[in-house]
């Protein structure tokens, strides 16, 4: 099964007829084609999450409806699209998912009618559980662990002891759900599951980075904790060591399926002597006898452990830096593409242009009668012969939105040479209704949008005359019986 099915095309056509741009984009992103959702559809949906007049519940509900499909391809791609919007869309999308009592109920999903239906259905069930857990984590702490501020002054490093002990188990549960995906290289056999695995890989790096920083904070506070706090902290640290091993296995799969080795962090465990020191300290608080560590030995062990975990945390930042660089390069490529569409028109060099004149002598508005209008125009031309351009419509010091100081809009015509020659009768002016779309129109680019930074430019309308007027010999003399005219 390859390419878009007839069902996909019919569904997209139906959404086009009903005017539902969001539904059409979701349908396009979740076709029966055995490949990951296309970037252009995902980018459009991300854009929708940032528009305040777009209904986020409608967008989410449309994705939920797609997971009710019987095809594993459609369901898997709906989950991937949801995950992508949680990672890169506006945070209000994740907030809405977290506010729902139920999300994906796919624990019993099974596609028996497709070639890879049995195998892929297993991963769909695991993947949906992770997305449910990711939304639940946000509901409990009101923050996405993969997006929180990191570093020495980050959220997890500055959290107090009580909150830290409550928060770290939530990260553990989310990481467990992610690692339970358990795909080996031989099972990553198509573009759909590969797209899901890539998103899980990125989440695993950022999630464990927050987890790692929380554990560093925990260790630094451990020897000042109360007995019950030390007991909980020791249990958290032991589970952390186990999950570090599980993550290492997950990253090996990522390396085998072609993920750049430079994007895979190095995991450095703390020395085993640290665990002994933690256990001995708890035993002493409980009144038990055991191996004793001197204060200096304990401090050195703790310092060594924190240094090891900090180096692990440093290696996690490489992927974030690479993604930022890729985003910057894509933005520069888009700007370059706009320049190559001849949207910015070069003008005559500055040294050949006439010097700017004061506003009160250069920019005189046309009056409503013929005599004053001609007088103003002739007077202006006597001062600036053939040099008066559309600069008279721009105040000195006004900031240009694009293109620099020499940029000129191609849609604006010069007011230099006004010809009073007779004009043929013009058709009656048409009224253009001004409407504001409820949502961004999917797949359509309004005219002139790229040229003026997203604002449509209205082309100046020609002057309308009720009756042709012959030019008199003396332009300043009154014209007997001449009919007045006004510009439209």
């Amino acid at each position: 099964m390859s390419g878009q099915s007839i069902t996909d095309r019919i569904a997209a056509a139906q959404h086009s007829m009903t005017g539902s741009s969001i539904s059409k984009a979701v349908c396009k992103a979740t076709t029966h084609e055995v490949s990951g959702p296309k970037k252009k559809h995902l980018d459009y949906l991300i854009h929708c999450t940032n528009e305040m007049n777009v209904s986020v519940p409608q967008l989410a509900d449309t994705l939920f409806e797609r997971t009710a499909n019987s095809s594993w391809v459609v369901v898997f791609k709906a989950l991937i699209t949801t995950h992508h919007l949680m990672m890169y869309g506006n945070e209000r999308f994740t907030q809405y998912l977290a506010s729902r009592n139920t999300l994906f109920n796919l624990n019993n999903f099974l596609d028996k009618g497709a070639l890879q239906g049995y195998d892929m259905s297993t991963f769909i069930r695991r993947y949906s559980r992770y997305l449910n857990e990711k939304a639940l984590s946000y509901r409990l702490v009101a923050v996405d662990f993969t997006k929180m501020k990191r570093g020495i002054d980050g959220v997890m490093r500055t959290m107090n002891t009580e909150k830290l002990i409550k928060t770290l188990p939530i990260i553990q549960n989310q990481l467990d759900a992610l690692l339970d995906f358990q795909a080996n290289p031989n099972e990553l056999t198509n573009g759909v599951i590969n797209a899901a695995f890539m998103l899980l890989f990125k989440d695993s790096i950022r999630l464990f980075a927050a987890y790692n920083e929380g554990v560093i904070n925990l260790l630094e506070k451990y020897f000042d904790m109360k007995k019950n706090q030390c007991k909980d902290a020791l249990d958290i640290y032991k589970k952390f060591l186990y999950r570090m091993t599980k993550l290492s296995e997950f990253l090996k799969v990522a390396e085998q399926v072609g993920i750049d080795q430079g994007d895979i962090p190095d995991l450095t465990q703390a020395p085993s002597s640290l665990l002994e020191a933690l256990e001995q300290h708890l035993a002493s608080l409980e009144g038990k006898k055991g191996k004793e560590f001197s204060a200096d030995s304990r401090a050195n062990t703790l310092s060594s452990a924190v240094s090891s975990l900090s180096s692990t945390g440093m290696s996690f930042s490489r992927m974030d830096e690479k993604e930022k660089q890729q985003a910057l390069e894509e933005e520069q490529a888009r700007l370059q593409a706009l320049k190559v569409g001849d949207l910015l028109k070069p003008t005559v060099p500055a040294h050949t242009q006439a010097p700017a004149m004061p506003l009160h002598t250069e920019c005189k508005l046309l009056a409503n009668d013929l005599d004053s209008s001609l007088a103003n125009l002739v007077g202006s031309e006597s001062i600036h012969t053939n040099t008066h351009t559309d600069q008279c419509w721009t105040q000195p010091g006004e900031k240009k939105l694009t293109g620099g100081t020499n940029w000129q809009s191609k849609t604006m015509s010069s007011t230099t040479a006004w010809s009073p020659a007779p004009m043929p009768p013009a058709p009656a002016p048409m009224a253009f209704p001004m409407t504001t779309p409820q949502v961004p129109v999917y797949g359509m680019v309004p005219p002139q949008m790229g040229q003026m930074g997203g604002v449509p430019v209205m082309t100046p309308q020609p002057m309308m005359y009720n009756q042709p007027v012959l030019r008199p010999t003396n332009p300043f003399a009154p014209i007997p019986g001449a009919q007045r005219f006004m510009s439209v």
Side-chain angles (χ1 to χ4, degrees):
M1 179 168 48
S2 62
Q4 296 185 24
S5 67
I6 296 177
T7 303
D8 295 330
R9 298 180 186 276
I10 293 176
Q14 289 175 340
H15 294 310
S16 297
M17 294 177 63
T18 59
S20 177
S21 301
I22 292 177
S23 297
K24 181 180 178 182
V26 170
C27 180
K28 288 284 189 180
T30 58
T31 61
H32 289 77
E33 187 176 4
V34 186
S35 62
K38 289 184 173 60
K39 184 178 183 299
K40 62 181 179 181
H41 306 315
L42 295 176
D43 288 347
Y44 174 78
L45 293 174
I46 288 174
H47 171 69
C48 288
T49 65
N50 290 306
E51 291 294 326
M52 296 308 297
N53 58 347
V54 170
S55 172
V56 169
Q58 178 191 352
L59 171 57
D61 290 343
T62 306
L63 287 167
F64 293 145
E65 291 173 4
R66 296 297 280 174
T67 62
N69 198 283
S70 60
S71 169
W72 72 265
V73 181
V74 174
V75 175
F76 218 150
K77 292 171 77 169
L79 296 176
I80 293 170
T81 303
T82 303
H83 192 182
H84 194 90
L85 295 182
M86 293 178 77
M87 291 178 66
Y88 301 108
N90 191 286
E91 191 172 2
R92 65 196 187 111
F93 180 79
T94 304
Q95 289 172 348
Y96 173 72
L97 297 184
S99 69
R100 292 175 58 101
N101 292 328
T102 59
L103 287 182
F104 301 107
N105 186 16
L106 297 170
N107 292 332
N108 299 320
F109 178 82
L110 180 61
D111 183 358
K112 300 179 181 179
L115 181 62
Q116 297 176 299
Y118 280 92
D119 294 336
M120 293 298 108
S121 295
T122 299
F123 293 109
I124 284 175
R125 295 192 293 268
R126 296 172 181 173
Y127 193 28
S128 64
R129 284 197 293 268
Y130 169 70
L131 295 182
N132 288 342
E133 193 67 36
K134 184 179 175 72
L136 176 61
S137 296
Y138 190 94
R139 181 192 301 181
L140 295 175
V141 297
V143 68
D144 188 340
F145 292 120
T146 65
K147 296 180 181 179
M148 62 171 42
K149 181 181 178 182
R150 299 202 299 267
I152 193 170
D153 58 343
V155 178
M156 299 303 298
R157 289 294 297 271
T158 57
M159 192 174 290
N160 62 50
T161 302
E162 183 178 355
K163 190 173 182 181
L164 192 63
I165 292 176
K166 293 180 179 179
T167 302
L168 284 172
I170 299 175
I171 301 181
Q172 289 175 352
N173 293 335
Q174 184 175 338
L175 184 62
D176 287 344
L178 188 153
L179 297 177
D180 281 345
F181 192 72
Q182 294 181 349
N184 62 57
N186 296 330
E187 293 170 319
L188 300 175
T189 55
N190 60 74
V192 179
I193 190 173
N194 288 345
F197 184 81
M198 178 57 70
L199 295 179
L200 289 171
F201 168 74
K202 293 180 179 179
D203 260 12
S204 70
I205 299 299
R206 295 171 178 142
L207 185 60
F208 194 83
Y211 192 17
N212 184 73
E213 291 191 347
V215 170
I216 292 176
N217 187 12
L218 191 76
L219 294 176
E220 291 174 337
K221 291 179 167 61
Y222 182 82
F223 295 104
D224 296 324
M225 293 180 183
K226 300 176 182 178
K227 182 176 66 174
N228 290 337
Q229 292 177 332
C230 283
K231 187 175 181 179
D232 293 335
L234 180 60
D235 181 64
I236 289 173
Y237 181 69
K238 289 180 178 179
K239 291 179 178 178
F240 171 78
L241 296 178
Y242 172 75
R243 283 155 182 79
M244 180 178 282
T245 302
K246 292 266 292 183
L247 178 64
S248 179
E249 297 172 357
F250 180 85
L251 297 180
K252 287 179 181 177
V253 176
E255 186 176 356
Q256 293 175 23
V257 296
I259 293 180
D260 192 341
Q261 190 173 6
D263 294 335
I264 300 177
D266 300 321
L267 300 180
T268 305
Q269 289 192 349
S272 58
S273 57
L274 174 64
L275 182 59
E276 296 179 18
L278 299 178
E279 292 175 335
Q280 186 275 330
H281 178 70
L282 177 60
S284 64
L285 292 178
E286 293 176 340
K288 299 178 183 178
K289 295 183 179 180
K291 181 181 179 180
E292 295 185 0
F293 287 80
S294 65
D296 292 339
S297 175
R298 190 173 65 185
N300 291 335
T301 301
L302 178 60
S303 177
S304 176
V306 170
S307 177
S308 299
L309 295 179
S310 296
S311 65
T312 297
M314 292 291 292
S315 67
F316 279 92
S317 63
R318 290 182 298 190
M319 189 186 70
D320 286 340
E321 294 299 326
K322 186 173 182 179
E323 274 206 354
K324 291 178 182 178
Q325 182 63 29
Q326 288 177 347
L328 181 61
E329 291 174 356
E330 289 179 1
E331 183 65 21
Q332 290 175 346
R334 283 194 291 267
L335 292 176
Q336 185 64 27
L338 290 177
K339 294 180 181 179
V340 176
D342 194 27
L343 296 179
L344 302 183
K345 181 181 178 182
T347 59
V348 181
H351 65 274
T352 63
Q353 296 181 354
M357 298 297 292
L359 179 63
H360 67 278
T361 60
E362 183 180 5
C363 301
K364 296 183 179 180
L365 299 178
L366 296 179
N368 288 336
D369 62 353
L370 177 62
D371 301 339
S372 300
S373 299
L374 292 175
N376 285 338
L377 288 171
V378 174
S380 177
E381 290 181 356
S382 65
I383 297 175
H384 315 292
T385 304
N386 296 329
T387 61
H388 184 69
T389 63
D390 61 347
Q391 293 176 350
C392 69
W393 303 102
T394 305
Q395 296 183 5
E398 182 181 0
K399 295 182 179 179
K400 299 287 185 179
L401 295 180
T402 182
T405 56
N406 293 331
W407 179 84
Q408 292 182 352
S409 172
K410 298 199 299 186
T411 59
M412 293 295 186
S413 58
S414 173
T415 59
T416 302
W418 180 85
S419 175
M423 297 179 62
M430 298 178 62
F432 296 90
M434 300 295 292
T435 59
T436 302
Q438 286 295 326
V439 298
V441 181
Y442 174 74
M444 296 181 61
V445 179
Q448 307 289 349
M449 287 292 284
Q451 299 184 21
M452 296 296 290
V455 180
V457 179
M458 298 299 294
T459 306
Q461 299 296 318
M463 289 187 175
M464 305 293 297
Y465 299 88
N466 293 330
Q467 174 180 329
V469 181
L470 298 179
R471 182 176 182 178
T473 304
N474 183 358
F476 301 98
I479 305 175
Q483 188 168 347
R484 303 293 184 180
F485 69 95
M486 297 179 65
S487 58
V488 179

